[in-house]
Amino acid sequence: TGNQWGYGEEDGPSSWYKDYPIAEGARQSPINIAPEEAVYDHGLPPISLHYDNCTSTNISNNGHSVVVDRCECDRCSSLLTVIQGGPLENAYRLKQFHFHWGGKGCHGSEHTVAGKTYTSELHLVHWNAAKYSSFAEAAVAPDGLAVLGVFLEIGDERGGLNKITDSLYMVKFKGTVTDFRDFNPNCLLPSSLKYWTYPGSLTTPPLYESVTWIVLTEPICVSEKQMGKFRTLLFNSEEEEQRTRMENNFRPPQPLKGRTVRASFK
Ligand code: SG4
Ligand code: ZN
């Protein structure tokens, strides 16, 4: 069956182990973060983020999520669009960001905090370009990737998100792509960069155990109307007869298996 995974009854997270046995591995993501069990690590430096307006990028529907890619041209690659500090040994370069969300009035985040789920979760995916020569190589290495997770909850509209939600009608179907220029993901970050960190995995097949997770404690607010636009996307391509709204594209929390979650704050 190979690439036939999804979020439905038949092909959803509970069946991924059949094609991807690492689904039952020792450092899978997401997890439930139990704040009282997180260990404050005074040696953990703050994280620092340097994001640029990338002049030429695109936004696409890959049938699992909506993804904004960073440009890979020489000019953009040489810009310092990186995350560093915190648990990371060096600077990790931003590759893309995407979202996970629920149905209307439903839960949609991947990580949970003391059992609480949020409406949605933004993932900014970075790779260790100082150590590996390509994203593909980094994606299979234990210290290859760093994903910054930001929770979204319903409240006031988030102005910075409109540029994304206004583009979604262009990528309604799986396999569609459109230009997306001059966007700085800084506008999607909360004011506090307090975080939890733990060693984990990609939350979708191939579920590689290559991710240092950095999950911000402070959520950002988005409006119900903004979230509604994400739910106009479809899991299907234009040729497919079936039309299923893209929603509930999250994996539930996985066993901690003895891992320690560290906190950057007391
Ligand atoms: C989403 O399905 C993204 O669309 C994928 O991005 C991403 O895969 C996948 O999630 C897993 O990433 O941060 N949730 S996660 O662990 O980043 C990768 C693409 O397929 C490899 C471009
Ligand atoms: Zn993700």
Side-chain angles (χ1 to χ4, degrees):
T1 49
N3 269 326
Q4 299 310 302
W5 66 272
Y7 293 96
E9 231 159 87
E10 305 278 289
D11 62 358
S14 60
S15 67
W16 291 351
Y17 75 95
K18 293 176 200 160
D19 285 320
Y20 304 92
I22 203 174
E24 300 179 312
R27 54 175 278 196
Q28 288 290 296
S29 294
I31 58 166
N32 173 51
I33 295 167
E36 333 72 60
E37 271 150 51
V39 177
Y40 167 64
D41 184 343
H42 66 90
L44 264 182
I47 49 167
S48 89
L49 299 167
H50 298 277
Y51 293 145
D52 291 286
N53 283 33
C54 200
T55 49
S56 167
T57 73
N58 62 60
I59 187 167
S60 61
N61 175 338
N62 64 9
H64 306 297
S65 181
V66 58
V67 183
V68 176
D69 279 303
R70 304 308 292 174
C71 181
E72 298 284 310
C73 80
D74 287 347
R75 194 185 147 270
C76 289
S77 302
S78 66
L79 291 172
L80 276 177
T81 298
V82 298
I83 184 172
Q84 59 195 328
L88 306 172
E89 296 279 335
N90 33 23
Y92 284 54
R93 189 189 294 170
L94 183 64
K95 167 78 173 164
Q96 47 100 336
F97 59 90
H98 62 268
F99 299 83
H100 302 264
W101 61 92
K104 193 168 165 31
C106 282
H107 313 308
S109 66
E110 298 212 295
H111 289 91
T112 58
V113 179
K116 175 191 159 64
T117 62
Y118 288 89
T119 297
S120 172
E121 192 172 328
L122 160 66
H123 289 158
L124 296 126
V125 181
H126 310 75
W127 61 286
N128 191 342
K131 189 162 171 189
Y132 302 103
S133 57
S134 68
F135 178 83
E137 196 187 310
V140 295
D143 59 351
L145 304 182
V147 183
L148 181 67
V150 180
F151 294 118
L152 279 63
E153 69 181 6
I154 297 296
D156 292 339
E157 174 178 292
R158 182 80 181 191
L161 191 64
N162 283 336
K163 189 153 182 195
I164 294 177
T165 53
D166 288 348
S167 299
L168 297 179
Y169 78 97
M170 296 283 289
V171 295
K172 182 169 175 172
F173 295 101
K174 174 182 177 175
T176 49
V177 189
T178 192
D179 281 353
F180 194 72
R181 289 165 195 274
D182 293 318
F183 184 82
N184 192 321
N186 275 326
C187 71
L188 298 177
L189 300 174
S191 50
S192 163
L193 293 180
K194 283 199 287 185
Y195 63 91
W196 294 289
T197 182
Y198 75 96
S201 72
L202 295 176
T203 64
T204 68
L207 300 168
Y208 295 141
E209 295 188 330
S210 56
V211 180
T212 300
W213 277 95
I214 299 169
V215 179
L216 299 185
T217 64
E218 188 188 324
I220 62 165
C221 280
V222 303
S223 69
E224 190 59 62
K225 190 174 167 205
Q226 289 180 312
M227 278 322 301
K229 292 197 174 168
F230 283 89
R231 298 187 199 104
T232 64
L233 298 171
L234 299 172
F235 280 128
N236 320 99
S237 61
E238 195 161 8
E239 302 75 60
E240 282 173 86
E241 231 157 82
Q242 184 165 348
R243 298 277 153 99
T244 311
R245 251 200 286 279
M246 184 178 280
E247 54 189 20
N248 299 316
N249 58 350
F250 60 90
R251 186 188 197 196
Q254 302 301 304
L256 197 55
K257 300 204 173 167
R259 285 172 287 176
T260 300
V261 176
R262 291 184 291 159
S264 70
F265 57 95
K266 261 198 207 136

